[in-house]
Coordinates of all heavy atoms in Angstrom, one line a residue:
M1 N 18.2 -12.5 -86.4 CA 18.2 -11.4 -85.5 C 17.0 -10.5 -85.9 O 16.8 -10.2 -87.1 CB 19.5 -10.6 -85.5 CG 19.3 -9.3 -84.6 SD 20.8 -8.5 -84.1 CE 21.8 -9.8 -83.4
L2 N 16.3 -10.0 -84.9 CA 15.2 -9.1 -85.1 C 15.7 -7.7 -85.6 O 16.8 -7.3 -85.2 CB 14.4 -8.9 -83.8 CG 13.7 -10.0 -83.2 CD1 13.1 -9.6 -81.9 CD2 12.6 -10.6 -84.2
E3 N 14.9 -7.1 -86.5 CA 15.2 -5.7 -86.9 C 14.0 -4.9 -86.7 O 12.9 -5.3 -87.0 CB 15.6 -5.7 -88.4 CG 16.8 -6.5 -88.7 CD 17.2 -6.4 -90.2 OE1 17.4 -5.3 -90.7 OE2 17.2 -7.5 -90.8
I4 N 14.2 -3.8 -86.0 CA 13.0 -2.9 -85.7 C 13.3 -1.5 -86.4 O 14.3 -0.9 -86.3 CB 12.9 -2.7 -84.1 CG1 12.7 -4.0 -83.5 CG2 11.8 -1.7 -83.8 CD1 12.8 -3.9 -81.9
Y5 N 12.3 -1.2 -87.2 CA 12.3 0.1 -88.0 C 11.4 1.2 -87.4 O 10.3 0.9 -87.1 CB 11.9 -0.2 -89.4 CG 12.8 -1.1 -90.2 CD1 12.7 -2.5 -90.0 CD2 13.8 -0.6 -91.1 CE1 13.6 -3.3 -90.7 CE2 14.6 -1.5 -91.8 CZ 14.5 -2.8 -91.6 OH 15.3 -3.7 -92.2
G6 N 12.0 2.3 -87.2 CA 11.2 3.5 -86.8 C 11.9 4.3 -85.7 O 12.9 3.9 -85.1
T7 N 11.5 5.5 -85.6 CA 12.1 6.5 -84.6 C 11.5 6.3 -83.2 O 10.3 5.9 -83.1 CB 11.8 7.9 -85.1 OG1 12.3 8.8 -84.1 CG2 10.4 8.2 -85.3
V8 N 12.3 6.6 -82.2 CA 11.8 6.5 -80.8 C 10.7 7.6 -80.6 O 10.1 7.5 -79.5 CB 13.0 6.6 -79.8 CG1 13.9 5.5 -79.9 CG2 13.7 7.9 -79.9
H9 N 10.6 8.5 -81.4 CA 9.6 9.6 -81.3 C 8.3 9.2 -82.0 O 7.6 10.0 -82.6 CB 10.1 10.9 -81.9 CG 11.4 11.3 -81.2 ND1 11.5 11.8 -79.9 CD2 12.7 11.3 -81.7 CE1 12.7 12.1 -79.6 NE2 13.5 11.8 -80.7
S10 N 8.0 7.9 -81.9 CA 6.8 7.4 -82.5 C 6.4 6.2 -81.7 O 7.0 5.8 -80.7 CB 7.0 7.0 -83.9 OG 7.8 5.8 -84.0
R11 N 5.4 5.4 -82.1 CA 4.9 4.2 -81.5 C 6.0 3.1 -81.6 O 5.9 2.0 -80.9 CB 3.6 3.7 -82.0 CG 2.5 4.7 -81.6 CD 1.1 4.2 -81.9 NE 0.2 5.1 -81.3 CZ -0.8 5.7 -82.1 NH1 -0.8 5.6 -83.4 NH2 -1.6 6.5 -81.5
T12 N 7.0 3.3 -82.3 CA 8.2 2.4 -82.3 C 8.7 2.2 -80.9 O 9.2 1.2 -80.6 CB 9.3 2.9 -83.3 OG1 8.7 3.1 -84.6 CG2 10.4 1.9 -83.4
L13 N 8.6 3.3 -80.1 CA 9.2 3.2 -78.8 C 8.6 2.0 -78.0 O 9.2 1.3 -77.2 CB 8.9 4.5 -78.0 CG 9.4 4.5 -76.6 CD1 10.9 4.4 -76.5 CD2 9.0 5.9 -75.9
R14 N 7.3 1.7 -78.2 CA 6.6 0.6 -77.6 C 7.3 -0.7 -77.9 O 7.5 -1.6 -77.1 CB 5.2 0.4 -78.0 CG 4.3 1.6 -77.7 CD 2.9 1.4 -78.4 NE 2.0 2.4 -78.1 CZ 0.8 2.5 -78.5 NH1 0.3 1.6 -79.4 NH2 0.0 3.5 -78.2
V15 N 7.7 -0.9 -79.2 CA 8.3 -2.1 -79.7 C 9.7 -2.2 -79.1 O 10.2 -3.3 -78.7 CB 8.3 -2.1 -81.2 CG1 9.0 -3.4 -81.7 CG2 6.9 -2.1 -81.7
L16 N 10.5 -1.1 -79.1 CA 11.8 -1.1 -78.6 C 11.8 -1.4 -77.1 O 12.6 -2.2 -76.6 CB 12.5 0.3 -78.8 CG 12.7 0.6 -80.3 CD1 13.1 2.1 -80.4 CD2 13.8 -0.3 -80.9
W17 N 10.8 -0.9 -76.4 CA 10.7 -1.1 -75.0 C 10.5 -2.6 -74.7 O 11.1 -3.3 -73.9 CB 9.6 -0.3 -74.4 CG 9.4 -0.3 -72.9 CD1 10.0 -1.1 -72.0 CD2 8.5 0.5 -72.2 NE1 9.6 -0.8 -70.7 CE2 8.6 0.2 -70.8 CE3 7.5 1.5 -72.6 CZ2 7.8 0.8 -69.9 CZ3 6.8 2.1 -71.6 CH2 6.9 1.7 -70.2
M18 N 9.5 -3.2 -75.5 CA 9.2 -4.6 -75.4 C 10.4 -5.5 -75.6 O 10.7 -6.4 -74.8 CB 8.1 -5.0 -76.3 CG 7.7 -6.5 -76.3 SD 6.9 -7.1 -74.8 CE 5.3 -7.2 -75.4
A19 N 11.1 -5.2 -76.7 CA 12.3 -5.9 -77.0 C 13.3 -5.9 -75.9 O 14.0 -6.9 -75.6 CB 12.9 -5.5 -78.4
C20 N 13.5 -4.7 -75.3 CA 14.5 -4.5 -74.2 C 14.0 -5.3 -73.0 O 14.8 -5.9 -72.3 CB 14.7 -3.1 -73.9 SG 15.6 -2.2 -75.2
E21 N 12.7 -5.2 -72.7 CA 12.2 -5.9 -71.5 C 12.4 -7.4 -71.6 O 12.7 -8.1 -70.7 CB 10.7 -5.6 -71.3 CG 10.4 -4.2 -70.8 CD 10.8 -4.0 -69.3 OE1 10.7 -5.0 -68.6 OE2 11.1 -2.9 -69.0
L22 N 12.2 -7.9 -72.8 CA 12.4 -9.3 -73.1 C 13.9 -9.7 -73.3 O 14.1 -10.9 -73.5 CB 11.6 -9.8 -74.3 CG 10.1 -9.6 -74.1 CD1 9.3 -10.0 -75.5 CD2 9.6 -10.5 -73.0
E23 N 14.7 -8.7 -73.3 CA 16.2 -9.0 -73.5 C 16.4 -9.7 -74.8 O 17.3 -10.6 -74.9 CB 16.8 -9.7 -72.3 CG 16.6 -9.0 -71.0 CD 17.1 -9.7 -69.7 OE1 17.4 -10.9 -69.8 OE2 17.3 -9.0 -68.7
L24 N 15.8 -9.2 -75.8 CA 15.9 -9.8 -77.2 C 17.1 -9.1 -77.9 O 17.4 -7.9 -77.7 CB 14.7 -9.6 -78.0 CG 13.4 -10.2 -77.5 CD1 12.2 -9.8 -78.3 CD2 13.5 -11.7 -77.4
D25 N 17.8 -9.9 -78.7 CA 18.8 -9.3 -79.6 C 18.1 -8.7 -80.8 O 17.3 -9.3 -81.4 CB 19.8 -10.4 -80.0 CG 20.7 -10.9 -78.9 OD1 21.1 -10.0 -78.0 OD2 21.1 -12.1 -78.9
F26 N 18.4 -7.4 -81.0 CA 17.8 -6.8 -82.2 C 18.7 -5.7 -82.7 O 19.5 -5.2 -82.0 CB 16.4 -6.2 -81.8 CG 16.4 -5.1 -80.8 CD1 16.4 -3.8 -81.2 CD2 16.3 -5.4 -79.5 CE1 16.4 -2.7 -80.3 CE2 16.3 -4.3 -78.5 CZ 16.4 -3.0 -78.9
V27 N 18.4 -5.3 -83.9 CA 19.0 -4.1 -84.5 C 17.9 -3.1 -84.7 O 16.8 -3.4 -85.2 CB 19.6 -4.5 -85.9 CG1 20.2 -3.2 -86.6 CG2 20.7 -5.6 -85.8
H28 N 18.2 -1.8 -84.3 CA 17.3 -0.7 -84.5 C 17.7 0.1 -85.7 O 18.8 0.6 -85.8 CB 17.3 0.1 -83.2 CG 16.4 1.3 -83.3 ND1 16.6 2.5 -82.7 CD2 15.2 1.5 -84.0 CE1 15.7 3.3 -83.0 NE2 14.8 2.7 -83.8
H29 N 16.7 0.3 -86.6 CA 17.0 1.2 -87.8 C 16.1 2.4 -87.5 O 14.9 2.4 -87.7 CB 16.5 0.5 -89.1 CG 17.2 -0.8 -89.3 ND1 18.5 -0.9 -89.8 CD2 16.8 -2.1 -89.2 CE1 18.9 -2.1 -90.0 NE2 17.8 -2.9 -89.6
P30 N 16.7 3.5 -87.0 CA 15.9 4.7 -86.7 C 15.4 5.4 -87.9 O 16.1 6.4 -88.4 CB 16.9 5.5 -85.8 CG 18.2 5.1 -86.3 CD 18.1 3.7 -86.7
L31 N 14.3 5.1 -88.4 CA 13.7 5.6 -89.6 C 12.7 6.7 -89.2 O 11.7 6.4 -88.4 CB 13.0 4.5 -90.4 CG 12.4 4.9 -91.7 CD1 13.5 5.4 -92.7 CD2 11.8 3.7 -92.4
D32 N 12.8 7.9 -89.7 CA 11.9 9.0 -89.3 C 10.5 8.8 -90.0 O 10.4 8.5 -91.1 CB 12.5 10.3 -89.8 CG 11.7 11.5 -89.4 OD1 11.8 11.8 -88.2 OD2 11.1 12.1 -90.2
W33 N 9.5 9.1 -89.3 CA 8.1 8.9 -89.8 C 7.8 9.8 -91.0 O 7.0 9.5 -91.8 CB 7.1 9.1 -88.6 CG 7.0 10.5 -88.1 CD1 7.7 11.1 -87.1 CD2 6.1 11.5 -88.6 NE1 7.3 12.4 -86.9 CE2 6.4 12.7 -87.8 CE3 5.2 11.6 -89.6 CZ2 5.7 13.9 -88.0 CZ3 4.5 12.8 -89.8 CH2 4.8 13.9 -89.1
Q34 N 8.5 10.9 -91.0 CA 8.2 11.8 -92.1 C 8.9 11.4 -93.5 O 8.5 11.9 -94.5 CB 8.7 13.3 -91.8 CG 7.9 13.9 -90.7 CD 8.4 15.2 -90.2 OE1 9.6 15.3 -90.0 NE2 7.5 16.1 -90.0
R35 N 9.9 10.5 -93.4 CA 10.5 10.1 -94.6 C 10.3 8.6 -94.9 O 10.6 8.2 -96.1 CB 12.0 10.2 -94.4 CG 12.4 11.7 -94.4 CD 13.9 11.9 -94.2 NE 14.3 11.5 -92.9 CZ 15.5 11.0 -92.6 NH1 16.4 10.9 -93.4 NH2 15.7 10.7 -91.3
C36 N 9.7 7.8 -94.1 CA 9.5 6.4 -94.3 C 8.7 6.1 -95.5 O 8.9 5.1 -96.3 CB 8.9 5.7 -93.1 SG 7.4 6.3 -92.5
G37 N 7.7 7.0 -95.9 CA 6.8 6.8 -97.0 C 7.5 7.1 -98.4 O 7.0 6.7 -99.4
Q38 N 8.7 7.7 -98.3 CA 9.4 8.0 -99.5 C 10.7 7.2 -99.7 O 11.4 7.3 -100.7 CB 9.8 9.5 -99.6 CG 8.7 10.4 -99.8 CD 8.0 10.7 -98.5 OE1 8.6 10.9 -97.4 NE2 6.7 10.9 -98.5
D39 N 11.0 6.3 -98.7 CA 12.2 5.5 -98.7 C 11.9 4.2 -99.5 O 11.2 3.3 -99.0 CB 12.6 5.2 -97.3 CG 13.9 4.5 -97.2 OD1 14.1 3.4 -97.9 OD2 14.7 4.9 -96.3
A40 N 12.5 4.1 -100.7 CA 12.2 2.9 -101.5 C 12.6 1.6 -100.9 O 11.8 0.6 -101.0 CB 12.9 3.1 -102.9
D41 N 13.7 1.6 -100.2 CA 14.1 0.3 -99.5 C 13.1 -0.1 -98.4 O 12.7 -1.2 -98.3 CB 15.5 0.5 -98.9 CG 16.6 0.6 -99.9 OD1 16.4 0.0 -101.1 OD2 17.6 1.1 -99.6
Y42 N 12.6 0.9 -97.7 CA 11.6 0.7 -96.6 C 10.3 0.3 -97.2 O 9.6 -0.6 -96.7 CB 11.5 1.8 -95.7 CG 10.6 1.5 -94.5 CD1 11.0 0.6 -93.6 CD2 9.3 2.1 -94.4 CE1 10.1 0.3 -92.5 CE2 8.5 1.8 -93.4 CZ 8.9 0.9 -92.4 OH 8.1 0.5 -91.4
L43 N 9.9 0.9 -98.3 CA 8.6 0.6 -98.9 C 8.6 -0.8 -99.5 O 7.6 -1.5 -99.5 CB 8.3 1.6 -100.0 CG 7.8 3.0 -99.5 CD1 7.8 4.0 -100.7 CD2 6.5 2.9 -98.8
A44 N 9.8 -1.3 -99.9 CA 9.9 -2.7 -100.4 C 9.6 -3.6 -99.2 O 9.1 -4.7 -99.3 CB 11.2 -3.0 -101.0
L45 N 10.0 -3.2 -98.0 CA 9.8 -4.0 -96.8 C 8.4 -3.9 -96.3 O 7.7 -4.9 -95.9 CB 10.8 -3.6 -95.7 CG 10.8 -4.3 -94.4 CD1 11.4 -5.7 -94.5 CD2 11.5 -3.5 -93.3
N46 N 7.9 -2.7 -96.2 CA 6.6 -2.4 -95.7 C 5.9 -1.4 -96.7 O 6.0 -0.2 -96.6 CB 6.6 -1.7 -94.3 CG 5.3 -1.4 -93.8 OD1 4.2 -1.7 -94.3 ND2 5.3 -0.6 -92.7
P47 N 5.1 -2.0 -97.6 CA 4.5 -1.1 -98.7 C 3.5 0.0 -98.1 O 3.3 0.9 -98.8 CB 3.7 -2.1 -99.5 CG 4.3 -3.4 -99.3 CD 4.9 -3.4 -97.9
A48 N 3.0 -0.2 -96.9 CA 2.2 0.9 -96.3 C 3.0 2.1 -96.0 O 2.5 3.2 -95.9 CB 1.5 0.3 -95.1
G49 N 4.3 1.9 -95.8 CA 5.2 3.1 -95.5 C 5.0 3.6 -94.2 O 5.4 4.8 -93.9
T50 N 4.5 2.9 -93.2 CA 4.3 3.3 -91.9 C 5.3 2.7 -90.9 O 5.9 1.7 -91.3 CB 2.9 3.0 -91.4 OG1 2.8 1.5 -91.4 CG2 1.8 3.6 -92.2
I51 N 5.5 3.3 -89.8 CA 6.4 2.8 -88.8 C 5.5 2.6 -87.5 O 4.5 3.3 -87.3 CB 7.6 3.7 -88.5 CG1 7.2 5.1 -88.1 CG2 8.6 3.7 -89.6 CD1 8.3 5.9 -87.6
P52 N 5.9 1.6 -86.7 CA 7.1 0.7 -86.8 C 6.8 -0.5 -87.7 O 5.7 -0.8 -88.1 CB 7.3 0.3 -85.3 CG 5.9 0.2 -84.8 CD 5.2 1.4 -85.5
A53 N 8.0 -1.1 -88.0 CA 7.9 -2.5 -88.6 C 9.0 -3.3 -88.0 O 10.0 -2.8 -87.5 CB 8.2 -2.3 -90.1
L54 N 8.7 -4.6 -88.0 CA 9.6 -5.6 -87.4 C 9.9 -6.6 -88.5 O 9.0 -7.0 -89.2 CB 8.9 -6.3 -86.2 CG 9.7 -7.5 -85.7 CD1 10.6 -7.0 -84.6 CD2 8.8 -8.6 -85.1
K55 N 11.2 -6.9 -88.6 CA 11.6 -8.0 -89.5 C 12.3 -9.1 -88.7 O 13.2 -8.9 -87.9 CB 12.6 -7.4 -90.5 CG 13.0 -8.4 -91.6 CD 13.8 -7.8 -92.7 CE 14.0 -8.8 -93.8 NZ 15.3 -9.1 -94.2
D56 N 11.7 -10.3 -88.8 CA 12.2 -11.4 -88.1 C 12.5 -12.5 -89.1 O 11.6 -13.3 -89.5 CB 11.1 -11.9 -87.1 CG 11.6 -13.1 -86.2 OD1 12.8 -13.4 -86.3 OD2 10.8 -13.6 -85.4
G57 N 13.7 -12.6 -89.6 CA 14.0 -13.4 -90.7 C 13.3 -12.9 -91.9 O 13.5 -11.8 -92.3
D58 N 12.5 -13.8 -92.6 CA 11.8 -13.4 -93.8 C 10.4 -12.8 -93.4 O 9.7 -12.4 -94.3 CB 11.6 -14.6 -94.7 CG 12.9 -15.0 -95.3 OD1 13.8 -14.2 -95.5 OD2 13.0 -16.3 -95.6
F59 N 10.0 -12.9 -92.1 CA 8.7 -12.4 -91.7 C 8.8 -10.9 -91.4 O 9.7 -10.5 -90.6 CB 8.3 -13.2 -90.5 CG 7.0 -12.8 -89.9 CD1 5.8 -13.0 -90.6 CD2 6.9 -12.2 -88.6 CE1 4.6 -12.7 -90.1 CE2 5.7 -11.9 -88.1 CZ 4.5 -12.1 -88.9
V60 N 7.8 -10.2 -91.9 CA 7.7 -8.7 -91.7 C 6.4 -8.4 -91.1 O 5.3 -8.9 -91.6 CB 8.0 -7.9 -93.0 CG1 7.8 -6.4 -92.7 CG2 9.4 -8.2 -93.5
L61 N 6.3 -7.6 -90.1 CA 5.1 -7.3 -89.4 C 5.1 -5.8 -89.1 O 6.1 -5.2 -88.7 CB 4.9 -8.1 -88.1 CG 3.6 -8.0 -87.4 CD1 2.5 -8.5 -88.2 CD2 3.7 -8.8 -86.1
A62 N 4.0 -5.1 -89.3 CA 3.8 -3.7 -89.0 C 2.8 -3.5 -87.9 O 2.1 -4.4 -87.6 CB 3.4 -2.9 -90.3
E63 N 2.7 -2.3 -87.4 CA 1.7 -1.9 -86.4 C 2.3 -2.3 -85.0 O 2.5 -3.5 -84.7 CB 0.3 -2.4 -86.6 CG -0.3 -2.0 -87.8 CD -0.5 -0.4 -87.9 OE1 -0.8 0.2 -86.8 OE2 -0.4 0.1 -89.0
S64 N 2.4 -1.3 -84.1 CA 3.1 -1.5 -82.9 C 2.4 -2.6 -82.0 O 3.0 -3.4 -81.3 CB 3.3 -0.2 -82.1 OG 2.0 0.3 -81.8
L65 N 1.0 -2.5 -82.0 CA 0.3 -3.5 -81.1 C 0.5 -4.9 -81.7 O 0.7 -5.9 -80.9 CB -1.2 -3.1 -81.0 CG -2.1 -4.0 -80.2 CD1 -1.5 -4.2 -78.8 CD2 -3.5 -3.5 -80.1
A66 N 0.4 -5.1 -83.0 CA 0.5 -6.4 -83.6 C 2.0 -6.9 -83.3 O 2.1 -8.1 -83.0 CB 0.3 -6.4 -85.1
I67 N 2.9 -6.0 -83.4 CA 4.3 -6.5 -83.2 C 4.5 -6.9 -81.7 O 5.1 -7.9 -81.4 CB 5.3 -5.3 -83.5 CG1 5.3 -5.1 -85.0 CG2 6.7 -5.7 -83.0 CD1 6.0 -3.8 -85.5
N68 N 4.0 -6.1 -80.8 CA 4.1 -6.4 -79.4 C 3.4 -7.7 -79.0 O 3.9 -8.5 -78.2 CB 3.7 -5.2 -78.5 CG 4.8 -4.2 -78.4 OD1 5.9 -4.4 -78.9 ND2 4.6 -3.2 -77.6
L69 N 2.2 -7.9 -79.6 CA 1.5 -9.2 -79.3 C 2.3 -10.4 -79.9 O 2.4 -11.5 -79.3 CB 0.1 -9.1 -79.8 CG -0.8 -8.2 -79.1 CD1 -2.2 -8.1 -79.8 CD2 -1.1 -8.6 -77.6
Y70 N 2.9 -10.2 -81.0 CA 3.8 -11.2 -81.6 C 4.9 -11.5 -80.7 O 5.2 -12.7 -80.4 CB 4.3 -10.8 -83.0 CG 5.3 -11.6 -83.6 CD1 5.0 -12.9 -84.1 CD2 6.6 -11.2 -83.7 CE1 6.0 -13.7 -84.7 CE2 7.6 -12.0 -84.3 CZ 7.3 -13.2 -84.8 OH 8.2 -14.0 -85.4
L71 N 5.6 -10.5 -80.2 CA 6.7 -10.7 -79.3 C 6.3 -11.3 -78.0 O 6.9 -12.2 -77.4 CB 7.5 -9.4 -79.1 CG 8.2 -8.8 -80.3 CD1 8.8 -7.4 -79.9 CD2 9.2 -9.7 -80.9
A72 N 5.1 -10.9 -77.5 CA 4.6 -11.5 -76.2 C 4.3 -13.0 -76.4 O 4.5 -13.8 -75.5 CB 3.3 -10.7 -75.8
G73 N 3.8 -13.3 -77.6 CA 3.5 -14.7 -77.9 C 4.8 -15.6 -77.8 O 4.7 -16.8 -77.7
R74 N 5.9 -15.1 -78.0 CA 7.2 -15.8 -77.9 C 7.7 -16.0 -76.5 O 8.6 -16.7 -76.2 CB 8.3 -15.1 -78.7 CG 7.9 -15.0 -80.2 CD 8.9 -14.0 -80.9 NE 10.3 -14.2 -80.6 CZ 11.2 -14.0 -81.4 NH1 11.0 -13.6 -82.6 NH2 12.5 -14.2 -81.1
E75 N 7.0 -15.3 -75.6 CA 7.4 -15.4 -74.1 C 6.3 -15.9 -73.3 O 5.3 -15.2 -73.1 CB 7.8 -13.9 -73.7 CG 8.2 -13.8 -72.3 CD 9.2 -14.7 -71.8 OE1 10.3 -14.7 -72.4 OE2 9.0 -15.4 -70.8
P76 N 6.5 -17.1 -72.7 CA 5.4 -17.7 -71.9 C 5.0 -16.9 -70.7 O 3.8 -16.9 -70.4 CB 6.0 -19.0 -71.4 CG 7.1 -19.3 -72.4 CD 7.6 -18.0 -72.9
R77 N 5.8 -16.1 -70.2 CA 5.5 -15.2 -69.0 C 4.4 -14.1 -69.5 O 3.7 -13.6 -68.6 CB 6.7 -14.5 -68.5 CG 7.7 -15.4 -67.8 CD 8.9 -14.5 -67.3 NE 9.5 -13.9 -68.5 CZ 10.0 -12.6 -68.5 NH1 10.0 -11.9 -67.4 NH2 10.6 -12.1 -69.5
L78 N 4.4 -13.8 -70.7 CA 3.6 -12.7 -71.2 C 2.3 -13.1 -72.0 O 1.4 -12.3 -72.2 CB 4.4 -11.7 -72.1 CG 5.5 -11.0 -71.4 CD1 6.2 -10.1 -72.4 CD2 5.0 -10.2 -70.2
W79 N 2.3 -14.3 -72.4 CA 1.1 -14.8 -73.2 C 0.5 -16.0 -72.6 O 1.1 -17.1 -72.6 CB 1.6 -15.0 -74.7 CG 0.4 -15.1 -75.6 CD1 0.0 -16.3 -76.2 CD2 -0.6 -14.1 -75.9 NE1 -1.1 -16.0 -76.9 CE2 -1.5 -14.7 -76.8 CE3 -0.7 -12.8 -75.5 CZ2 -2.6 -14.0 -77.3 CZ3 -1.7 -12.1 -76.1 CH2 -2.7 -12.7 -76.9
P80 N -0.7 -15.9 -72.2 CA -1.4 -17.1 -71.5 C -1.7 -18.2 -72.5 O -1.9 -17.9 -73.7 CB -2.7 -16.5 -71.0 CG -2.9 -15.2 -71.7 CD -1.5 -14.7 -72.2
Q81 N -1.7 -19.4 -72.1 CA -2.0 -20.6 -72.9 C -3.5 -20.8 -73.0 O -3.9 -21.3 -74.0 CB -1.3 -21.8 -72.3 CG 0.2 -21.7 -72.3 CD 0.8 -21.4 -73.7 OE1 0.5 -22.1 -74.6 NE2 1.6 -20.3 -73.7
D82 N -4.3 -20.4 -72.1 CA -5.7 -20.6 -72.0 C -6.4 -19.6 -73.0 O -6.0 -18.4 -73.0 CB -6.2 -20.3 -70.6 CG -7.7 -20.3 -70.5 OD1 -8.2 -21.5 -70.3 OD2 -8.3 -19.3 -70.5
E83 N -7.3 -20.0 -73.8 CA -7.9 -19.2 -74.8 C -8.7 -18.0 -74.2 O -8.7 -16.9 -74.7 CB -8.9 -20.0 -75.7 CG -8.2 -20.9 -76.7 CD -9.1 -21.7 -77.5 OE1 -10.4 -21.6 -77.4 OE2 -8.7 -22.5 -78.3
Q84 N -9.4 -18.2 -73.1 CA -10.1 -17.1 -72.4 C -9.1 -16.1 -71.9 O -9.4 -14.9 -72.0 CB -11.0 -17.7 -71.4 CG -12.2 -18.5 -71.9 CD -13.1 -19.0 -70.9 OE1 -12.8 -19.1 -69.7 NE2 -14.2 -19.5 -71.3
R85 N -8.1 -16.5 -71.3 CA -7.1 -15.5 -70.9 C -6.4 -14.8 -72.0 O -6.1 -13.6 -71.9 CB -6.0 -16.2 -70.0 CG -6.6 -16.7 -68.7 CD -5.5 -17.4 -67.8 NE -6.1 -18.0 -66.7 CZ -6.2 -17.4 -65.5 NH1 -5.8 -16.1 -65.3 NH2 -6.7 -18.0 -64.4
Q86 N -6.2 -15.5 -73.2 CA -5.7 -14.8 -74.4 C -6.7 -13.7 -74.8 O -6.3 -12.6 -75.1 CB -5.5 -15.8 -75.5 CG -4.3 -16.7 -75.2 CD -4.2 -17.8 -76.3 OE1 -4.9 -17.8 -77.3 NE2 -3.2 -18.7 -76.1
A87 N -8.0 -14.1 -74.8 CA -9.0 -13.1 -75.2 C -9.0 -11.9 -74.2 O -9.1 -10.7 -74.7 CB -10.4 -13.8 -75.2
L88 N -8.8 -12.1 -73.0 CA -8.7 -11.0 -72.0 C -7.4 -10.2 -72.3 O -7.5 -8.9 -72.2 CB -8.7 -11.5 -70.6 CG -10.0 -12.0 -70.1 CD1 -9.8 -12.7 -68.7 CD2 -11.0 -10.9 -70.0
A89 N -6.3 -10.8 -72.6 CA -5.1 -10.1 -72.9 C -5.3 -9.2 -74.2 O -4.9 -8.0 -74.2 CB -3.9 -11.1 -73.2
L90 N -6.0 -9.8 -75.1 CA -6.3 -9.0 -76.3 C -7.3 -7.8 -76.0 O -7.1 -6.7 -76.5 CB -7.0 -9.9 -77.4 CG -6.0 -10.9 -78.1 CD1 -6.8 -11.8 -79.0 CD2 -4.9 -10.2 -78.9
Q91 N -8.3 -8.1 -75.2 CA -9.2 -7.1 -74.8 C -8.5 -5.9 -74.2 O -8.7 -4.7 -74.6 CB -10.2 -7.6 -73.8 CG -11.1 -6.6 -73.2 CD -12.0 -7.2 -72.1 OE1 -12.9 -7.9 -72.3 NE2 -11.6 -6.9 -70.8
W92 N -7.6 -6.1 -73.2 CA -6.9 -5.0 -72.6 C -5.9 -4.4 -73.5 O -5.7 -3.2 -73.4 CB -6.3 -5.5 -71.2 CG -7.4 -5.8 -70.2 CD1 -7.8 -7.0 -69.7 CD2 -8.3 -4.8 -69.6 NE1 -8.8 -6.9 -68.8 CE2 -9.1 -5.5 -68.8 CE3 -8.4 -3.4 -69.7 CZ2 -10.1 -4.9 -68.0 CZ3 -9.4 -2.8 -69.0 CH2 -10.2 -3.5 -68.1
S93 N -5.3 -5.1 -74.4 CA -4.4 -4.5 -75.3 C -5.1 -3.6 -76.3 O -4.6 -2.5 -76.5 CB -3.7 -5.6 -76.1 OG -2.9 -6.4 -75.3
F94 N -6.2 -4.0 -76.8 CA -7.0 -3.2 -77.7 C -7.6 -1.9 -76.9 O -7.6 -0.8 -77.5 CB -8.2 -3.9 -78.3 CG -7.7 -5.0 -79.3 CD1 -8.5 -6.1 -79.5 CD2 -6.4 -5.0 -79.8 CE1 -8.1 -7.1 -80.4 CE2 -6.0 -6.0 -80.7 CZ -6.9 -7.1 -81.0
W95 N -8.0 -2.1 -75.7 CA -8.5 -1.0 -74.9 C -7.4 0.0 -74.7 O -7.7 1.3 -74.8 CB -9.0 -1.5 -73.6 CG -9.6 -0.4 -72.8 CD1 -10.8 0.2 -72.9 CD2 -9.0 0.2 -71.7 NE1 -11.0 1.2 -71.9 CE2 -9.8 1.2 -71.2 CE3 -7.7 0.1 -71.0 CZ2 -9.5 2.0 -70.1 CZ3 -7.4 0.9 -70.0 CH2 -8.3 1.9 -69.5
A96 N -6.2 -0.4 -74.3 CA -5.1 0.5 -74.1 C -4.7 1.3 -75.3 O -4.3 2.4 -75.3 CB -3.9 -0.2 -73.5

């Protein structure tokens, strides 16, 4: 099961929204951005101490855009198979 770390009052909201839109099963750990850098358990998961972070089994990923692109890649409706279309998806994601 996916685990999403971070408060809704941060860019974590993007990840939570994506997970809900994709109807994924996940657990939300509402970690406050002001305390995440001092939380030893969280720092063991994400040494940068930033939110959001996603845990998918043994795989851990930080940064909301990277997480959302990872989740999009799991959904054929959201991630094109053609390399040029993937490049365009990345272009617009980075621009936004």
Side-chain angles (χ1 to χ4, degrees):
M1 174 164 306
L2 295 175
E3 297 180 61
I4 300 171
Y5 294 80
T7 175
V8 297
H9 303 289
S10 71
R11 291 189 175 121
T12 304
L13 181 60
R14 298 174 179 175
V15 177
L16 293 167
W17 186 355
M18 174 73 101
C20 289
E21 286 289 329
L22 295 176
E23 299 178 344
L24 300 175
D25 289 327
F26 67 92
V27 174
H28 177 215
H29 303 282
L31 184 61
D32 186 75
W33 68 270
Q34 294 174 317
R35 291 181 290 150
C36 59
Q38 290 83 38
D39 185 312
D41 291 333
Y42 185 68
L43 287 171
L45 182 74
N46 178 11
T50 59
I51 55 171
L54 173 87
K55 186 170 187 236
D56 185 5
D58 292 332
F59 179 65
V60 177
L61 186 62
E63 298 298 324
S64 63
L65 181 55
I67 294 167
N68 278 1
L69 290 171
Y70 170 73
L71 295 176
R74 296 168 48 148
E75 175 55 54
R77 294 177 299 141
L78 296 179
W79 193 248
Q81 298 304 308
D82 175 83
E83 288 179 2
Q84 290 179 346
R85 290 181 188 268
Q86 289 175 5
L88 288 171
L90 290 171
Q91 170 188 285
W92 288 111
S93 296
F94 295 155
W95 180 79

